[in-house]
């Protein structure tokens, strides 16, 4: 018996520490072995032809993959979970698992850019139509439903612009027509938002971000509700989805400390924002945990915490050159896209080509920050000197 069979009723932090582990199955060692494998041997031909043993072929899983998938299943309250080789791969596999030729998928206009790229370039070739929708539509999403609508993709808060979505309202509307609901929940991680409990069928994580948490591996995860699990399991098998055991090991290792890291990311972020909001050069902050944020009520209702990623808008009249000077002047914040590690990062927000259903201000100068595990006083000093040098 796996130790995790008995952990379903435990609190999230306890699940993080115990789920997916089975020390007695591995001579008492705390962690499962990192199984490097392709071939699986059978004791006799009868076992072979009847499929009479747990593992048959390494692509289909081994004790290392089982451990992470089991832990994710428990964390997400899911019927089952699969691992993909990147967050984007998880998005692609999740979508492909629930659509077929002739179907139409609705995708939030604020979805992650490469998700749009997948939807715009691959889905049309499979005969699936794509329509982007205003993320602020709650149950009114039903005004966009047609007979062919079979899936609704959500992401909250939205990539780069951080709008919240009323996931339970969207899920309830979608289920009325039997559509599958997907959510990219990377920002909150399964610790601060539980998509399946909100009505989501396919809960997606860029595990690369907070689960791995150390900027040293790429991983995607998909957890499925009862109605979506069989389709997901089938599709991942048919596609030959497989992740190398060393990367899964890094995901498992990251998962064990997710709670302490996220708590610190959140605390540091609030401290940095508390300083940032009073700066003359800053017009607004996009972070749903702030009471002033338009998505705050939904965040408070559906999420139990906030992570280290947010954006701020420069004051009116700030030029692109000033924005770039600010970014170039930062010394502790690295200029890099893939967030979720222990280090602070910054990028310029560029929405051009990434919004088609909702208007955005093309002239607005914004920066997205990821607040890492450094001392926030040092981060604030770095931001202060970058403002000085950009606006001198
Ligand atoms: C980074 C990210 C992804 C993609 O993850 P990768 O592992 O980099 O492919 C997907 N969704 C969101 C919201 C992300 O931030």
């Amino acid at each position: 018996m796996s130790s995790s069979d008995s952990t379903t009723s435990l609190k999230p932090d306890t699940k993080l520490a115990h789920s997916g582990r089975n020390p007695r199955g591995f001579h008492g060692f705390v962690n499962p072995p990192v199984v490097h494998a392709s071939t699986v041997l059978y004791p006799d031909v009868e076992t072979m032809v009847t499929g009479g043993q747990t593992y048959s072929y390494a692509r289909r899983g081994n004790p290392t993959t089982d451990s992470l998938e089991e832990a994710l299943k428990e964390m997400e309250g899911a019927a089952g979970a699969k691992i993909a080789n990147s967050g984007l791969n998880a998005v692609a596999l999740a979508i492909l698992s629930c659509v077929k030729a002739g179907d139409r998928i609705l995708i939030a206009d604020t979805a992650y850019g490469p998700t749009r790229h997948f939807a715009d370039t691959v889905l049309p070739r499979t005969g699936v139509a794509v329509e982007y929708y205003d993320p602020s539509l709650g149950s009114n999403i039903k005004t966009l439903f047609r007979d062919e609508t079979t899936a609704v993709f959500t992401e909250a808060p939205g990539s780069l612009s951080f709008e919240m979505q009323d996931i339970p309202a969207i899920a309830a509307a979608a289920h009325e027509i039997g559509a599958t609901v997907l959510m990219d929940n990377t920002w909150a991680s399964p610790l601060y938002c539980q998509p399946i409990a909100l009505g989501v069928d396919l809960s997606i994580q860029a595990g690369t971000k907070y689960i791995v948490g150390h900027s040293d591996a790429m991983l995607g995860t998909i957890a499925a509700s009862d109605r979506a699990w069989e389709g997901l399991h089938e599709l991942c098998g048919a596609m030959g989805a497989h992740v190398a055991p060393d990367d899964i090991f890094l995901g498992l290792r990251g998962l064990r400390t997710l709670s302490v890291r996220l708590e610190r990311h959140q605390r540091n972020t609030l401290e940095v924002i508390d300083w940032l909001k009073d700066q003359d050069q800053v017009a607004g902050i996009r972070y749903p945990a702030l009471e002033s944020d338009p998505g705050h009520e939904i965040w408070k209702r559906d999420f139990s915490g906030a992570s280290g990623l947010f954006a701020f808008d420069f004051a009116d009249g700030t030029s692109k050159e000033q924005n770039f000077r600010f970014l170039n002047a930062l010394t502790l914040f690295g200029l890099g896209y893939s967030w979720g590690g222990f280090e602070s990062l910054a990028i310029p927000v560029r929405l051009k080509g990434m919004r088609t259903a909702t208007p955005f201000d093309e002239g607005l100068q914004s920066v997205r920050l990821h607040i890492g595990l450094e001392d926030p006083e040092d981060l604030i000093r770095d931001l202060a000197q970058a403002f000085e040098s950009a606006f001198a």
Side-chain angles (χ1 to χ4, degrees), residues 85-89 91 112 115 155 159 184 186-187 206-209 218-220 309 338-339 368:
N85 48 39
S86 68
L88 181 58
N89 187 224
V91 167
Y112 177 63
T115 294
E155 180 180 326
S159 271
D184 185 333
T186 300
W187 182 83
T208 308
K209 307 287 169 52
M218 304 203 73
L219 213 61
L309 195 75
S338 188
W339 48 277
R368 188 191 77 183

Side-chain angles (χ1 to χ4, degrees), residues 112-159:
Y112 177 63
T115 294
R116 291 181 76 106
H117 181 73
F118 166 77
D120 292 341
T121 58
V122 178
L123 289 182
R125 286 202 271 131
T126 67
V128 174
V130 177
E131 181 175 349
Y132 293 99
Y133 68 91
D134 180 342
S136 71
L137 288 178
S139 57
N140 279 337
I141 189 130
K142 51 174 80 136
T143 59
L144 301 178
F145 289 167
R146 298 192 202 167
D147 289 347
E148 319 86 80
T149 306
T150 55
V152 180
F153 190 97
T154 65
E155 180 180 326
S159 271

Side-chain angles (χ1 to χ4, degrees), residues 243-317:
V243 178
D246 292 315
D247 291 345
I248 295 176
F249 160 73
L250 291 172
L252 272 168
R253 170 182 273 217
L255 200 65
R256 305 299 175 204
T257 58
L258 180 64
S259 180
V260 281
R261 285 185 288 108
L262 272 183
E263 199 175 307
R264 184 63 71 90
H265 282 291
Q266 175 172 243
R267 195 210 301 171
N268 288 358
T269 302
L270 288 168
E271 202 166 321
V272 169
I273 286 178
D274 194 49
W275 174 83
L276 207 53
K277 70 176 179 5
D278 295 330
Q279 304 311 301
D280 294 340
Q281 300 91 342
V282 174
I285 290 173
R286 299 163 182 269
Y287 190 61
L290 294 184
E291 263 177 52
S292 56
D293 191 278
H296 183 69
E297 287 307 316
I298 290 180
W299 173 82
K300 212 163 66 178
R301 186 193 65 192
D302 295 344
F303 288 48
S304 57
S307 67
L309 195 75
F310 70 97
F312 72 85
D313 299 335
F314 281 107
D316 266 3

Side-chain angles (χ1 to χ4, degrees), residues 204-228:
I204 300 158
Q205 278 286 313
T208 308
K209 307 287 169 52
Y210 285 126
I211 291 179
V212 169
H214 293 72
S215 308
D216 53 7
M218 304 203 73
L219 213 61
T221 73
I222 314 157
S225 67
D226 281 322
R227 66 195 290 274

